[in-house]
Amino acid sequence: MSNAPEQRDVTFVSRDSRILLMSCIRFVDDIVMGDACFVCSAAPRENTFNDEHIIPRWRLRRFGLFDRHMTLLIGEFIRSKTLREGAS
């Protein structure tokens, strides 16, 4: 048995069901371990996703970055046009 105190979800949600402040527990469960969008916290089964880029396509085009390589924080190289996010 663990002596660690049980943590509870203390996410704050608005009257219209928007998340105002997400608890660490919910962030880990829904986003890190789950498949929810890190921007809006919606899961693909809850919303229609538009497959938008992390860096908006208009910005990539405007600054000629679509075919450039970027270095991720983990040290991997990736082409900027492949950075996508499933947010609706």
Side-chain angles (χ1 to χ4, degrees):
M1 223 178 199
S2 173
N3 290 333
E6 184 177 325
Q7 295 182 1
R8 61 188 180 107
D9 183 4
V10 290
T11 297
F12 290 96
V13 180
S14 68
R15 289 185 180 145
D16 60 351
S17 300
R18 290 180 301 135
I19 293 179
L20 303 175
L21 178 69
M22 182 179 283
S23 70
C24 289
I25 292 172
R26 186 163 178 183
F27 181 83
V28 170
D29 289 348
D30 293 359
I31 295 170
V32 176
M33 303 304 288
D35 60 355
C37 169
F38 79 96
V39 175
C40 68
S41 74
R45 64 190 169 282
E46 297 169 356
N47 274 351
T48 302
F49 280 50
N50 66 9
D51 202 28
E52 180 60 81
H53 286 70
I54 299 286
I55 301 170
R57 282 173 270 208
W58 69 266
R59 185 166 283 178
L60 293 171
R61 277 192 302 274
R62 167 70 175 84
F63 295 103
L65 301 174
F66 241 103
D67 292 316
R68 297 301 243 0
H69 286 82
M70 302 174 87
T71 304
L72 302 177
L73 292 174
I74 58 174
E76 288 185 27
F77 294 99
I78 190 165
R79 289 180 66 189
S80 59
K81 70 179 177 181
T82 62
L83 289 173
R84 293 180 186 262
E85 193 274 316
S88 58

Coordinates of all heavy atoms in Angstrom, one line a residue:
M1 N 0.8 -1.2 0.0 CA 0.0 0.0 0.0 C 0.9 1.2 0.0 O 1.9 1.3 0.7 CB -0.9 0.0 1.2 CG -2.3 0.4 1.0 SD -3.2 0.3 2.5 CE -4.8 0.3 1.8
S2 N 0.5 2.2 -0.7 CA 1.3 3.5 -0.8 C 0.8 4.5 0.2 O -0.4 4.6 0.5 CB 1.1 4.0 -2.3 OG 1.7 5.3 -2.3
N3 N 1.8 5.2 0.7 CA 1.4 6.3 1.7 C 1.2 7.6 1.0 O 0.9 8.6 1.6 CB 2.5 6.4 2.7 CG 2.6 5.3 3.6 OD1 1.6 4.6 3.9 ND2 3.8 5.0 4.2
A4 N 1.3 7.6 -0.3 CA 1.1 8.9 -1.1 C -0.3 9.3 -1.1 O -1.2 8.4 -1.2 CB 1.6 8.7 -2.5
P5 N -0.6 10.6 -0.9 CA -2.0 11.0 -0.8 C -2.6 10.8 -2.2 O -2.0 11.0 -3.2 CB -1.9 12.5 -0.4 CG -0.6 12.9 -0.8 CD 0.3 11.7 -0.6
E6 N -3.9 10.5 -2.2 CA -4.6 10.3 -3.5 C -4.8 11.7 -4.1 O -5.3 12.7 -3.4 CB -6.0 9.7 -3.3 CG -6.7 9.4 -4.6 CD -8.0 8.7 -4.4 OE1 -8.0 7.8 -3.5 OE2 -8.9 9.0 -5.1
Q7 N -4.5 11.9 -5.4 CA -4.7 13.2 -6.0 C -6.1 13.2 -6.7 O -6.5 12.1 -7.2 CB -3.6 13.4 -7.0 CG -2.2 13.5 -6.4 CD -1.2 13.8 -7.4 OE1 -1.4 13.9 -8.6 NE2 0.1 13.9 -7.0
R8 N -6.7 14.3 -6.7 CA -8.0 14.4 -7.4 C -7.9 15.4 -8.5 O -7.0 16.3 -8.6 CB -9.1 14.8 -6.4 CG -8.8 16.1 -5.7 CD -9.8 16.4 -4.6 NE -9.6 17.7 -4.0 CZ -10.3 18.7 -4.2 NH1 -11.4 18.7 -4.9 NH2 -10.0 19.9 -3.6
D9 N -8.8 15.3 -9.4 CA -8.9 16.2 -10.6 C -9.5 17.5 -10.2 O -10.6 17.6 -9.7 CB -9.8 15.5 -11.7 CG -9.8 16.3 -12.9 OD1 -9.1 17.4 -13.0 OD2 -10.6 16.0 -13.8
V10 N -8.7 18.5 -10.3 CA -9.2 19.9 -9.9 C -9.2 20.8 -11.2 O -8.9 22.0 -11.1 CB -8.3 20.5 -8.8 CG1 -8.4 19.8 -7.5 CG2 -6.8 20.5 -9.3
T11 N -9.7 20.2 -12.3 CA -9.9 21.0 -13.5 C -11.0 22.0 -13.4 O -12.1 21.6 -12.8 CB -10.2 20.0 -14.7 OG1 -9.0 19.2 -14.8 CG2 -10.4 20.7 -16.0
F12 N -10.8 23.2 -13.8 CA -11.9 24.2 -13.8 C -12.5 24.2 -15.2 O -11.9 24.4 -16.2 CB -11.3 25.6 -13.5 CG -10.8 25.7 -12.0 CD1 -9.5 25.5 -11.7 CD2 -11.7 26.0 -11.0 CE1 -9.0 25.6 -10.4 CE2 -11.3 26.1 -9.7 CZ -9.9 25.9 -9.4
V13 N -13.9 24.1 -15.2 CA -14.6 24.1 -16.4 C -15.7 25.2 -16.4 O -16.3 25.4 -15.4 CB -15.3 22.7 -16.6 CG1 -16.1 22.7 -17.9 CG2 -14.3 21.6 -16.5
S14 N -15.8 25.9 -17.5 CA -16.8 27.0 -17.6 C -18.2 26.5 -17.7 O -18.4 25.3 -17.9 CB -16.5 27.9 -18.8 OG -16.7 27.2 -20.0
R15 N -19.2 27.3 -17.6 CA -20.6 26.9 -17.7 C -20.9 26.3 -19.1 O -21.8 25.5 -19.2 CB -21.5 28.1 -17.4 CG -21.5 28.5 -16.0 CD -22.5 29.6 -15.7 NE -22.4 29.9 -14.3 CZ -22.6 31.1 -13.8 NH1 -22.9 32.1 -14.6 NH2 -22.5 31.3 -12.5
D16 N -20.2 26.8 -20.1 CA -20.4 26.2 -21.4 C -19.4 25.1 -21.8 O -19.2 24.8 -22.9 CB -20.3 27.3 -22.5 CG -19.0 28.0 -22.6 OD1 -18.1 27.8 -21.7 OD2 -18.8 28.8 -23.5
S17 N -18.9 24.4 -20.7 CA -18.1 23.2 -20.8 C -16.7 23.4 -21.4 O -16.0 22.5 -21.8 CB -18.8 22.1 -21.6 OG -20.0 21.8 -21.0
R18 N -16.2 24.6 -21.4 CA -14.8 24.9 -21.9 C -13.9 24.7 -20.7 O -14.2 25.1 -19.6 CB -14.6 26.3 -22.5 CG -15.3 26.4 -23.8 CD -15.1 27.8 -24.4 NE -15.7 28.8 -23.5 CZ -15.1 29.9 -23.1 NH1 -13.9 30.2 -23.6 NH2 -15.6 30.8 -22.3
I19 N -12.7 24.1 -20.9 CA -11.8 23.9 -19.8 C -11.0 25.3 -19.6 O -10.4 25.8 -20.6 CB -10.8 22.8 -20.1 CG1 -11.5 21.5 -20.1 CG2 -9.6 22.8 -19.1 CD1 -10.7 20.3 -20.4
L20 N -11.1 25.8 -18.4 CA -10.4 27.0 -18.1 C -9.0 26.8 -17.5 O -8.1 27.5 -17.8 CB -11.2 27.8 -17.1 CG -12.6 28.2 -17.6 CD1 -13.4 28.9 -16.5 CD2 -12.6 29.0 -18.8
L21 N -8.9 25.7 -16.7 CA -7.6 25.3 -16.1 C -7.6 23.8 -16.0 O -8.5 23.2 -15.3 CB -7.4 26.0 -14.8 CG -6.1 25.6 -14.0 CD1 -4.9 26.1 -14.8 CD2 -6.2 26.1 -12.6
M22 N -6.7 23.1 -16.6 CA -6.6 21.7 -16.6 C -5.7 21.2 -15.5 O -4.6 21.7 -15.4 CB -6.2 21.1 -17.9 CG -6.2 19.6 -18.0 SD -5.7 19.0 -19.6 CE -7.2 19.3 -20.5
S23 N -6.1 20.3 -14.7 CA -5.3 19.7 -13.6 C -4.1 18.9 -14.2 O -4.2 18.4 -15.4 CB -6.1 18.8 -12.7 OG -6.5 17.6 -13.4
C24 N -3.1 18.7 -13.5 CA -1.9 17.9 -14.0 C -2.4 16.5 -14.2 O -2.0 15.9 -15.2 CB -0.8 17.9 -12.9 SG 0.0 19.5 -12.8
I25 N -3.2 16.0 -13.4 CA -3.7 14.6 -13.5 C -4.4 14.4 -14.8 O -4.2 13.5 -15.6 CB -4.6 14.1 -12.4 CG1 -3.8 14.1 -11.1 CG2 -5.3 12.8 -12.6 CD1 -4.6 13.8 -9.9
R26 N -5.3 15.3 -15.1 CA -6.1 15.3 -16.3 C -5.2 15.5 -17.6 O -5.4 14.8 -18.6 CB -7.3 16.3 -16.3 CG -8.2 16.1 -17.5 CD -9.5 16.8 -17.2 NE -10.3 16.7 -18.4 CZ -11.5 17.2 -18.5 NH1 -12.0 17.9 -17.5 NH2 -12.2 17.1 -19.6
F27 N -4.3 16.4 -17.5 CA -3.4 16.7 -18.6 C -2.6 15.4 -18.9 O -2.5 15.0 -20.1 CB -2.4 17.8 -18.3 CG -1.5 18.1 -19.4 CD1 -1.8 18.9 -20.4 CD2 -0.2 17.5 -19.4 CE1 -1.0 19.2 -21.4 CE2 0.7 17.8 -20.4 CZ 0.3 18.7 -21.5
V28 N -2.1 14.7 -17.9 CA -1.3 13.5 -18.2 C -2.2 12.4 -18.8 O -1.9 11.8 -19.8 CB -0.6 13.0 -16.9 CG1 0.0 11.6 -17.1 CG2 0.5 14.0 -16.5
D29 N -3.4 12.2 -18.1 CA -4.3 11.2 -18.6 C -4.9 11.4 -20.0 O -4.8 10.5 -20.8 CB -5.5 11.0 -17.6 CG -5.1 10.4 -16.3 OD1 -4.0 9.9 -16.2 OD2 -5.9 10.5 -15.4
D30 N -5.3 12.6 -20.2 CA -6.0 12.9 -21.5 C -5.1 13.3 -22.7 O -5.3 12.9 -23.8 CB -7.0 14.1 -21.3 CG -8.1 13.8 -20.4 OD1 -8.2 12.6 -20.0 OD2 -9.0 14.7 -20.2
I31 N -4.0 13.9 -22.4 CA -3.1 14.4 -23.4 C -1.8 13.6 -23.6 O -1.5 13.1 -24.7 CB -2.8 15.9 -23.2 CG1 -4.2 16.7 -23.4 CG2 -1.8 16.5 -24.2 CD1 -4.2 18.1 -23.0
V32 N -1.1 13.5 -22.5 CA 0.2 12.8 -22.6 C -0.1 11.3 -22.8 O 0.5 10.7 -23.8 CB 1.0 13.0 -21.3 CG1 2.3 12.1 -21.3 CG2 1.3 14.4 -21.1
M33 N -0.9 10.7 -22.1 CA -1.2 9.2 -22.2 C -2.3 8.9 -23.2 O -2.4 7.8 -23.7 CB -1.5 8.6 -20.9 CG -0.4 8.8 -19.8 SD 1.3 8.2 -20.4 CE 1.0 6.4 -20.3
G34 N -3.2 9.9 -23.4 CA -4.3 9.7 -24.3 C -4.1 10.3 -25.7 O -3.0 10.5 -26.1
D35 N -5.2 10.6 -26.3 CA -5.1 11.1 -27.7 C -5.7 12.5 -27.9 O -6.0 12.9 -29.0 CB -5.7 10.1 -28.7 CG -7.2 9.9 -28.4 OD1 -7.7 10.4 -27.4 OD2 -7.8 9.2 -29.2
A36 N -6.0 13.2 -26.8 CA -6.6 14.5 -26.8 C -5.6 15.6 -27.4 O -4.4 15.5 -27.2 CB -7.1 14.9 -25.4
C37 N -6.2 16.6 -27.9 CA -5.5 17.7 -28.5 C -4.9 18.5 -27.3 O -5.6 18.9 -26.4 CB -6.4 18.6 -29.3 SG -5.7 20.2 -29.8
F38 N -3.6 18.9 -27.4 CA -3.0 19.7 -26.3 C -3.5 21.1 -26.4 O -3.3 21.9 -25.4 CB -1.5 19.6 -26.3 CG -0.8 20.4 -27.3 CD1 -0.3 21.7 -27.0 CD2 -0.7 20.0 -28.6 CE1 0.3 22.5 -27.9 CE2 0.0 20.8 -29.6 CZ 0.4 22.1 -29.2
V39 N -4.1 21.6 -27.4 CA -4.6 23.0 -27.5 C -6.0 23.1 -26.9 O -6.2 24.0 -26.1 CB -4.5 23.5 -29.0 CG1 -5.1 24.9 -29.1 CG2 -3.1 23.4 -29.5
C40 N -6.9 22.3 -27.4 CA -8.3 22.4 -26.9 C -8.7 21.3 -26.0 O -9.9 21.3 -25.5 CB -9.2 22.5 -28.1 SG -9.3 20.9 -29.1
S41 N -7.9 20.3 -25.8 CA -8.2 19.1 -25.0 C -9.3 18.2 -25.5 O -9.7 17.3 -24.8 CB -8.5 19.5 -23.5 OG -9.7 20.1 -23.4
A42 N -9.8 18.4 -26.7 CA -10.8 17.5 -27.3 C -10.1 16.2 -27.8 O -9.0 16.2 -28.3 CB -11.5 18.2 -28.4
A43 N -10.9 15.1 -27.7 CA -10.4 13.9 -28.2 C -11.0 13.7 -29.7 O -12.0 14.3 -29.9 CB -10.9 12.7 -27.4
P44 N -10.3 13.0 -30.5 CA -10.8 12.8 -31.9 C -12.2 12.3 -32.0 O -13.0 12.6 -32.9 CB -9.8 11.8 -32.5 CG -8.6 12.0 -31.7 CD -9.0 12.3 -30.3
R45 N -12.6 11.5 -31.0 CA -14.0 11.0 -31.0 C -15.1 12.0 -30.6 O -16.2 11.8 -30.9 CB -14.1 9.8 -30.1 CG -13.8 10.1 -28.6 CD -13.7 8.8 -27.8 NE -13.2 9.2 -26.5 CZ -11.9 9.4 -26.1 NH1 -11.0 9.4 -27.1 NH2 -11.6 9.7 -24.9
E46 N -14.6 13.2 -30.1 CA -15.5 14.2 -29.7 C -15.7 15.3 -30.7 O -16.7 16.1 -30.7 CB -15.0 14.8 -28.4 CG -15.0 13.9 -27.2 CD -14.3 14.4 -26.0 OE1 -13.7 15.5 -26.1 OE2 -14.2 13.7 -25.0
N47 N -14.7 15.5 -31.6 CA -14.7 16.6 -32.5 C -14.2 16.2 -33.9 O -13.5 15.2 -34.0 CB -13.7 17.7 -32.0 CG -14.4 18.7 -31.1 OD1 -15.6 18.7 -30.9 ND2 -13.6 19.6 -30.5
T48 N -14.5 17.0 -34.9 CA -14.0 16.8 -36.2 C -12.6 17.5 -36.2 O -12.6 18.7 -36.0 CB -14.9 17.3 -37.3 OG1 -16.2 16.7 -37.2 CG2 -14.3 17.1 -38.7
F49 N -11.6 16.9 -36.5 CA -10.2 17.5 -36.5 C -9.9 17.9 -37.9 O -10.2 17.3 -38.9 CB -9.2 16.5 -36.0 CG -9.2 16.4 -34.5 CD1 -10.3 16.2 -33.7 CD2 -8.0 16.5 -33.8 CE1 -10.3 16.1 -32.3 CE2 -8.0 16.5 -32.4 CZ -9.1 16.2 -31.7
N50 N -9.2 19.1 -38.0 CA -8.9 19.6 -39.3 C -7.4 19.4 -39.7 O -7.0 19.8 -40.7 CB -9.2 21.1 -39.4 CG -8.3 21.9 -38.4 OD1 -7.4 21.4 -37.9 ND2 -8.7 23.2 -38.3
D51 N -6.6 18.7 -38.8 CA -5.3 18.3 -39.1 C -4.4 19.6 -39.4 O -3.5 19.6 -40.2 CB -5.2 17.4 -40.3 CG -3.9 16.6 -40.4 OD1 -3.4 16.3 -39.3 OD2 -3.5 16.2 -41.5
E52 N -4.6 20.6 -38.6 CA -3.9 21.9 -38.8 C -2.5 21.6 -38.3 O -2.2 20.8 -37.5 CB -4.5 23.0 -37.9 CG -3.8 24.3 -38.0 CD -3.8 24.9 -39.4 OE1 -4.7 25.5 -39.8 OE2 -2.7 24.8 -40.0
H53 N -1.5 22.4 -38.8 CA -0.1 22.3 -38.4 C 0.0 23.0 -37.1 O -0.7 24.0 -36.8 CB 0.7 23.0 -39.5 CG 0.9 22.2 -40.7 ND1 -0.1 22.1 -41.6 CD2 2.0 21.6 -41.2 CE1 0.4 21.3 -42.6 NE2 1.6 21.0 -42.4
I54 N 1.0 22.6 -36.3 CA 1.4 23.3 -35.1 C 1.7 24.7 -35.4 O 1.3 25.7 -34.7 CB 2.6 22.6 -34.4 CG1 2.3 21.2 -34.1 CG2 3.1 23.4 -33.2 CD1 1.4 20.9 -32.9
I55 N 2.5 25.0 -36.4 CA 2.8 26.3 -36.9 C 1.8 26.5 -38.1 O 1.9 25.7 -39.0 CB 4.3 26.5 -37.4 CG1 5.2 26.2 -36.2 CG2 4.5 27.9 -37.9 CD1 6.7 26.1 -36.6
P56 N 1.0 27.4 -38.0 CA -0.1 27.6 -39.1 C 0.5 27.6 -40.5 O 1.6 28.2 -40.7 CB -0.7 28.9 -38.8 CG -0.5 29.1 -37.3 CD 0.8 28.5 -37.1
R57 N -0.2 27.0 -41.4 CA 0.3 26.9 -42.8 C 0.6 28.3 -43.4 O 1.5 28.4 -44.2 CB -0.7 26.1 -43.7 CG -0.6 24.6 -43.5 CD -1.7 23.9 -44.2 NE -2.8 23.9 -43.3 CZ -3.7 23.0 -43.2 NH1 -3.8 22.1 -44.2 NH2 -4.6 22.9 -42.3
W58 N -0.3 29.2 -43.1 CA -0.1 30.6 -43.7 C 1.3 31.2 -43.2 O 1.9 31.8 -44.0 CB -1.2 31.5 -43.3 CG -1.3 31.9 -41.9 CD1 -2.1 31.3 -40.9 CD2 -0.6 33.0 -41.2 NE1 -1.9 31.9 -39.7 CE2 -1.0 32.9 -39.9 CE3 0.3 33.9 -41.6 CZ2 -0.5 33.8 -38.9 CZ3 0.8 34.8 -40.7 CH2 0.4 34.8 -39.4
R59 N 1.7 30.9 -42.0 CA 2.9 31.4 -41.5 C 4.1 30.7 -42.1 O 5.1 31.3 -42.5 CB 3.0 31.3 -40.0 CG 4.2 31.9 -39.4 CD 4.1 32.1 -37.9 NE 3.3 33.2 -37.7 CZ 2.9 33.7 -36.5 NH1 3.4 33.0 -35.4 NH2 2.2 34.7 -36.3
L60 N 4.0 29.4 -42.3 CA 5.0 28.6 -43.0 C 5.2 29.1 -44.4 O 6.4 29.3 -44.8 CB 4.7 27.1 -43.0 CG 4.7 26.4 -41.7 CD1 4.1 25.0 -41.8 CD2 6.0 26.3 -41.1
R61 N 4.1 29.4 -45.1 CA 4.2 29.9 -46.5 C 4.8 31.3 -46.5 O 5.7 31.6 -47.3 CB 2.8 30.0 -47.1 CG 2.4 28.7 -47.7 CD 1.2 28.8 -48.6 NE 0.0 29.4 -47.9 CZ -0.8 28.7 -47.2 NH1 -0.7 27.4 -47.1 NH2 -1.8 29.3 -46.6
R62 N 4.3 32.2 -45.6 CA 4.7 33.6 -45.6 C 6.2 33.7 -45.4 O 6.9 34.6 -46.0 CB 4.0 34.3 -44.4 CG 4.5 35.7 -44.0 CD 4.3 36.7 -45.1 NE 4.6 38.0 -44.7 CZ 5.9 38.5 -44.8 NH1 6.8 37.8 -45.3 NH2 6.1 39.8 -44.4
F63 N 6.8 32.9 -44.5 CA 8.2 33.0 -44.2 C 9.1 31.9 -44.9 O 10.3 31.8 -44.6 CB 8.5 33.0 -42.7 CG 7.9 34.2 -42.0 CD1 6.7 34.0 -41.3 CD2 8.5 35.4 -42.1 CE1 6.1 35.2 -40.7 CE2 7.9 36.5 -41.5 CZ 6.7 36.4 -40.8
G64 N 8.5 31.3 -45.9 CA 9.2 30.3 -46.7 C 9.8 29.1 -45.9 O 10.9 28.6 -46.1
L65 N 9.0 28.7 -44.9 CA 9.5 27.6 -44.0 C 8.9 26.2 -44.3 O 9.3 25.3 -43.6 CB 9.1 28.0 -42.6 CG 9.7 29.3 -42.0 CD1 9.1 29.6 -40.7 CD2 11.2 29.3 -42.0
F66 N 8.1 26.1 -45.3 CA 7.4 24.8 -45.6 C 8.4 23.7 -45.8 O 8.1 22.6 -45.3 CB 6.4 24.9 -46.7 CG 5.0 24.6 -46.3 CD1 4.1 25.7 -46.2 CD2 4.6 23.3 -46.1 CE1 2.8 25.4 -45.8 CE2 3.3 23.1 -45.7 CZ 2.4 24.1 -45.6
D67 N 9.4 23.9 -46.5 CA 10.4 22.8 -46.8 C 11.7 22.9 -46.0 O 12.6 22.2 -46.3 CB 10.7 22.8 -48.3 CG 9.5 22.4 -49.1 OD1 8.8 21.4 -48.7 OD2 9.2 23.0 -50.1
R68 N 11.7 23.6 -44.9 CA 12.8 23.8 -44.1 C 12.8 22.7 -43.0 O 11.8 22.1 -42.7 CB 12.8 25.1 -43.3 CG 12.9 26.3 -44.2 CD 14.1 26.4 -45.0 NE 15.2 27.2 -45.1 CZ 15.7 28.3 -44.6 NH1 15.1 28.8 -43.6 NH2 16.8 28.8 -44.9
H69 N 14.0 22.3 -42.5 CA 14.1 21.4 -41.4 C 14.2 22.1 -40.1 O 14.8 23.2 -40.0 CB 15.4 20.5 -41.6 CG 15.2 19.5 -42.7 ND1 15.4 19.8 -44.1 CD2 14.9 18.2 -42.7 CE1 15.2 18.8 -44.8 NE2 14.8 17.8 -44.0
M70 N 13.6 21.5 -39.1 CA 13.6 22.1 -37.8 C 14.2 21.0 -36.8 O 14.1 19.8 -37.0 CB 12.2 22.4 -37.3 CG 11.5 23.4 -38.3 SD 9.8 23.7 -37.8 CE 10.0 25.0 -36.6
T71 N 14.7 21.5 -35.7 CA 15.2 20.6 -34.7 C 14.2 20.6 -33.5 O 14.0 21.7 -33.0 CB 16.6 21.0 -34.2 OG1 17.5 21.1 -35.3 CG2 17.2 20.0 -33.2
L72 N 13.7 19.4 -33.2 CA 12.8 19.3 -32.1 C 13.6 19.4 -30.8 O 14.8 19.2 -30.8 CB 12.0 18.0 -32.2 CG 11.2 17.8 -33.5 CD1 10.5 16.5 -33.5 CD2 10.2 18.9 -33.6
L73 N 12.9 19.6 -29.7 CA 13.5 19.6 -28.4 C 14.2 18.3 -28.0 O 15.1 18.3 -27.3 CB 12.5 20.0 -27.3 CG 11.9 21.4 -27.4 CD1 10.8 21.6 -26.4 CD2 13.0 22.4 -27.2
I74 N 13.7 17.2 -28.6 CA 14.4 15.9 -28.3 C 15.6 15.7 -29.2 O 16.2 14.6 -29.1 CB 13.3 14.8 -28.4 CG1 12.7 14.7 -29.8 CG2 12.3 14.9 -27.3 CD1 11.8 13.6 -30.1
G75 N 15.9 16.7 -30.0 CA 17.1 16.5 -30.9 C 16.9 16.0 -32.2 O 17.8 15.9 -33.0
E76 N 15.7 15.5 -32.5 CA 15.4 15.0 -33.9 C 15.2 16.1 -34.9 O 14.7 17.2 -34.5 CB 14.1 14.2 -33.8 CG 14.2 12.8 -33.1 CD 12.9 12.0 -33.2 OE1 12.2 12.2 -34.2 OE2 12.7 11.2 -32.3
F77 N 15.5 15.8 -36.1 CA 15.3 16.8 -37.2 C 14.0 16.4 -37.9 O 13.7 15.2 -38.1 CB 16.4 16.8 -38.2 CG 17.7 17.3 -37.7 CD1 18.7 16.4 -37.2 CD2 17.9 18.6 -37.6 CE1 19.9 16.8 -36.7 CE2 19.1 19.1 -37.0 CZ 20.1 18.2 -36.6
I78 N 13.2 17.4 -38.3 CA 11.9 17.1 -39.0 C 11.6 18.2 -39.9 O 12.0 19.4 -39.7 CB 10.8 16.9 -37.9 CG1 9.5 16.4 -38.6 CG2 10.5 18.2 -37.2 CD1 8.5 15.9 -37.6
R79 N 11.0 17.9 -41.0 CA 10.6 19.0 -42.0 C 9.4 19.7 -41.4 O 8.4 19.1 -40.9 CB 10.2 18.4 -43.3 CG 11.4 17.9 -44.1 CD 11.1 17.3 -45.4 NE 10.6 18.3 -46.3 CZ 10.1 18.0 -47.4 NH1 10.0 16.8 -47.9 NH2 9.6 19.0 -48.2
S80 N 9.4 21.0 -41.4 CA 8.3 21.8 -40.8 C 6.9 21.5 -41.3 O 6.0 21.6 -40.6 CB 8.6 23.3 -40.9 OG 8.7 23.7 -42.3
K81 N 6.8 21.1 -42.6 CA 5.5 20.9 -43.1 C 4.9 19.6 -42.5 O 3.7 19.3 -42.7 CB 5.4 20.9 -44.6 CG 6.1 19.7 -45.3 CD 6.0 19.9 -46.8 CE 6.7 18.9 -47.6 NZ 6.5 19.1 -49.0
T82 N 5.6 18.8 -41.8 CA 5.1 17.5 -41.3 C 4.7 17.7 -39.8 O 4.1 16.8 -39.2 CB 6.1 16.4 -41.3 OG1 7.3 16.8 -40.6 CG2 6.5 16.1 -42.8
L83 N 4.9 18.9 -39.2 CA 4.4 19.1 -37.9 C 3.0 19.4 -37.9 O 2.5 20.4 -38.3 CB 5.2 20.3 -37.3 CG 6.6 20.1 -36.9 CD1 7.2 21.5 -36.5 CD2 6.8 19.1 -35.8
R84 N 2.2 18.4 -37.4 CA 0.7 18.6 -37.5 C 0.1 18.4 -36.1 O 0.7 17.7 -35.3 CB 0.1 17.6 -38.5 CG 0.5 17.9 -39.9 CD -0.2 16.9 -40.8 NE 0.3 17.1 -42.1 CZ -0.3 17.7 -43.0 NH1 -1.5 18.3 -42.8 NH2 0.2 17.9 -44.2
E85 N -1.0 18.9 -35.9 CA -1.7 18.8 -34.7 C -3.2 18.6 -35.1 O -3.7 19.2 -36.0 CB -1.5 20.1 -33.9 CG -1.9 20.1 -32.5 CD -3.4 20.4 -32.3 OE1 -3.9 21.3 -33.0 OE2 -4.0 19.7 -31.6
G86 N -3.9 17.8 -34.3 CA -5.3 17.5 -34.7 C -6.3 18.4 -34.2 O -7.5 17.9 -34.1
A87 N -6.1 19.5 -33.8 CA -7.1 20.4 -33.2 C -8.2 20.8 -34.1 O -8.0 20.8 -35.3 CB -6.4 21.7 -32.7
S88 N -9.3 20.9 -33.5 CA -10.5 21.3 -34.3 C -10.6 22.8 -34.5 O -9.9 23.5 -33.8 CB -11.7 20.8 -33.7 OG -11.9 21.3 -32.4

